[in-house]
């Protein structure tokens, strides 16, 4: 029976939080849909307490602490570790993007130089049409490689496809 009490208490706390979140959403909707002056809406919104993040508000932490000793410390440590983990992922992603950019730049440069050399050789051998084609291929390879990479390397997403990002 004693084991069920904390579980029941936790269940009730979760339900209260869920009800509170639903109530908060209802209040926000009512304020936004109301016909009160804009300034009044701003004042009311300034007083509303909003929360989002890995570490709960102090009163919620206190509730967890009552249910389980050291819960607050563990929750805070978890939030700190989550932040460190996200930073490590971001650093790794940026390094990977840097290596991909350099690799792409080197490959595009090699293909461009190769096409221009073939173009020059063909023009000197009196094959001006084929030489022009290879020269054009070299220019378009350089242009396409640079322009194609600009969007991929500058978008600010978390390893998601840009089409996936725009659909959400």
């Amino acid at each position: 029976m004693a084991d069920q009490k904390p579980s029941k208490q936790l269940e009730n706390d979760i339900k209260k939080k869920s009800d509170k979140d639903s109530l908060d959403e209802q209040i926000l909707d009512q304020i936004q849909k109301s016909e009160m002056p804009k300034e009044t809406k701003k004042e009311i919104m300034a007083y509303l307490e909003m929360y989002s993040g890995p570490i709960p508000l102090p009163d919620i932490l206190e509730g967890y602490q009552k249910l389980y000793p050291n819960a607050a410390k563990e929750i805070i440590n978890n939030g700190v570790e989550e932040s460190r983990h996200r930073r490590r992922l971001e650093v790794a992603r940026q390094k990977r993007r840097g290596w991909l950019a350099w690799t792409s730049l080197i490959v595009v440069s090699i293909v461009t130089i190769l096409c221009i050399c073939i173009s020059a050789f063909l023009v000197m051998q009196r094959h001006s049409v084929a030489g022009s084609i290879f020269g054009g291929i070299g220019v378009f390879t350089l242009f396409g490689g640079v322009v194609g990479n600009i969007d991929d390397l500058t978008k600010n997403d978390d390893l998601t496809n840009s089409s996936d990002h725009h659909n959400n």
Side-chain angles (χ1 to χ4, degrees), residues 61-105:
L61 270 177
E62 184 180 352
Y64 282 116
Q65 187 68 25
K66 288 177 185 176
L67 289 173
Y68 175 71
N70 294 326
K73 182 179 178 182
E74 288 182 25
I75 290 170
I76 290 171
N77 287 342
N78 185 46
V80 170
E81 285 301 314
E82 176 68 24
S83 292
R84 286 184 186 143
H85 175 69
R86 286 191 167 278
R87 281 189 221 111
R88 282 192 301 265
L89 287 177
E90 180 65 21
V91 167
R93 182 173 69 103
Q94 292 300 76
K95 284 182 181 177
R96 184 174 54 254
R97 287 175 101 173
W99 282 108
L100 286 172
W102 279 107
T103 303
S104 176
L105 179 66

Side-chain angles (χ1 to χ4, degrees), residues 6-64:
S7 175
K8 268 290 194 213
Q9 180 65 38
L10 187 59
E11 233 177 79
N12 290 338
D13 287 350
I14 290 171
K15 184 174 180 347
K16 284 179 189 175
K17 184 179 181 332
S18 175
D19 292 345
K20 183 181 182 301
D21 290 345
S22 177
L23 184 62
D24 289 347
E25 288 175 14
Q26 290 174 6
I27 291 170
L28 288 174
D29 284 344
Q30 286 177 356
I31 292 170
Q32 290 172 350
K33 291 177 183 175
S34 72
E35 296 188 18
M36 64 179 76
K38 195 174 187 177
E39 284 301 314
T40 306
K41 284 183 187 181
K42 282 183 182 179
E43 287 177 28
I44 292 173
M45 295 296 278
Y47 286 106
L48 291 176
E49 182 178 331
M50 299 280 187
Y51 168 76
S52 175
I55 300 175
L57 296 170
D59 57 339
I60 295 172
L61 270 177
E62 184 180 352
Y64 282 116

